[in-house]
Amino acid sequence: SFDGRHGIVEVQPDARAGYLSLTLSGISTGALFDTVQRAREVFDLDAPAAEIGAALGKDSALRKMLKKQPGVRVPGAWNGFELTVRAILGQQISVKGATTIAGRIAARYGERLEIEHADAPEVLHRLFPTPDRLARARFNDIGLISSRAQTIRTLARAVKDGDVDFEAIQDPDAFCENLQSIRGIGDWTAQYVAMRALKNPDAFLGSDLALLKVLAFPARMTPKELEARAEKWRPWRAYAAMALWSSLSSSGG
């Protein structure tokens, strides 16, 4: 939604290797530049891949992973508020379960997608709810425990009131500290949001179970050991995390 008008952004691999094809429906001329730039950020197209690869390649384990998956990118987020809500939903449940609940929230509280002179695919019919809608949502009979529902309402109020925003031009440490002041949001969630919504290239989830396992499998590092090793990955720790996640057989990457 841009200034009250709805649109669809479709991205797919282009026939030319190394390119993406972008198709827009319902996007006004005035919103064209912002839409294209936002899409570039979602796919991290402006990342200095060669510089990142050279820096992370100094670590022998990462060097092997980057040879298999060169040009690692960190996916962005179209909407920082939606990303944060989905991250909260994903705490201690499966991705599939969190996706199901997110769909229920969108169906109940989201605005219906309306596009002039364009037919939306059947699967696209709702916008994600605004902070204003979720600030007072009850979330009853939706499969959400009461503490998590309260965390989402508190977040929504903070975003609505301007106490939390997702502008990239802000201090990421201060952002994470501010986000963690909301009961129910810890360091993992804050760093994850900073990584994807703020596009902080040095965000790092030092307590992530997969990251703790992957470098010492079948043993497991402690968070302190992982944080110490990650010091030499600065300022590209988010990209190191993506390379490590992508090396796992269960990651789909």
Side-chain angles (χ1 to χ4, degrees):
S1 177
F2 287 96
D3 297 326
R5 290 186 58 177
H6 300 173
I8 292 177
V9 177
E10 179 182 359
V11 183
Q12 59 187 346
D14 192 78
R16 299 167 295 171
Y19 286 82
L20 294 175
S21 176
L22 175 70
T23 304
L24 305 177
S25 300
I27 305 296
S28 67
T29 302
L32 186 61
F33 177 83
D34 286 343
T35 304
V36 173
Q37 185 56 37
R38 220 161 175 190
R40 294 185 65 86
E41 291 170 358
V42 168
F43 288 89
D44 201 16
L45 299 186
D46 298 315
E51 182 181 345
I52 293 168
L56 297 183
K58 295 175 182 177
D59 184 296
S60 58
L62 284 175
R63 184 164 61 248
K64 293 177 183 177
M65 296 173 187
L66 292 172
K67 282 183 179 179
K68 295 180 180 179
Q69 303 239 13
V72 64
R73 311 291 171 127
V74 175
W78 192 266
N79 183 306
F81 173 67
E82 177 182 355
L83 174 78
T84 309
V85 171
R86 292 180 68 101
I88 293 168
L89 293 175
Q91 294 170 356
Q92 300 178 335
I93 64 173
S94 68
V95 173
K96 183 178 180 180
T99 299
T100 298
I101 295 175
R104 292 171 183 168
I105 290 174
R108 182 178 297 181
Y109 300 107
E111 186 180 357
R112 184 163 186 83
L113 185 65
E114 300 287 352
I115 300 180
E116 297 179 11
H117 313 302
D119 294 323
E122 187 176 340
V123 293
L124 299 177
H125 51 79
R126 290 281 170 183
L127 297 174
F128 194 79
T130 63
D132 185 60
R133 286 279 288 166
L134 295 190
R136 56 183 187 274
R138 293 181 61 192
F139 298 115
N140 55 309
D141 301 322
I142 215 164
L144 198 59
I145 62 175
S146 59
S147 60
R148 205 145 293 153
Q150 183 57 46
T151 298
I152 293 174
R153 282 192 292 268
T154 303
L155 168 71
R157 285 195 294 269
V159 175
K160 181 173 73 76
D161 295 341
D163 297 327
V164 170
D165 68 69
F166 303 96
E167 294 294 329
I169 306 176
Q170 63 178 298
D171 180 77
D173 292 333
F175 169 82
C176 288
E177 183 178 349
N178 189 28
L179 201 58
Q180 288 182 80
S181 68
I182 296 174
R183 185 179 180 87
I185 296 181
D187 180 68
W188 190 100
T189 300
Q191 290 291 332
Y192 179 75
V193 174
M195 175 189 290
R196 295 195 53 197
L198 267 61
K199 299 299 293 178
N200 175 21
D202 204 40
F204 192 65
L205 295 74
S207 62
D208 184 81
L209 292 179
L211 297 181
L212 293 174
K213 290 178 180 178
V214 68
L215 286 171
F217 188 81
R220 180 188 295 182
M221 284 184 164
T222 66
K224 187 175 180 179
E225 289 171 336
L226 179 59
E227 291 279 2
R229 180 160 178 174
E231 278 299 308
K232 60 184 177 183
W233 302 339
R234 289 183 182 274
W236 308 112
R237 293 186 302 172
Y239 291 86
M242 289 304 305
L244 293 168
W245 279 330
S246 296
S247 72
L248 300 171
S249 59
S250 60
S251 71

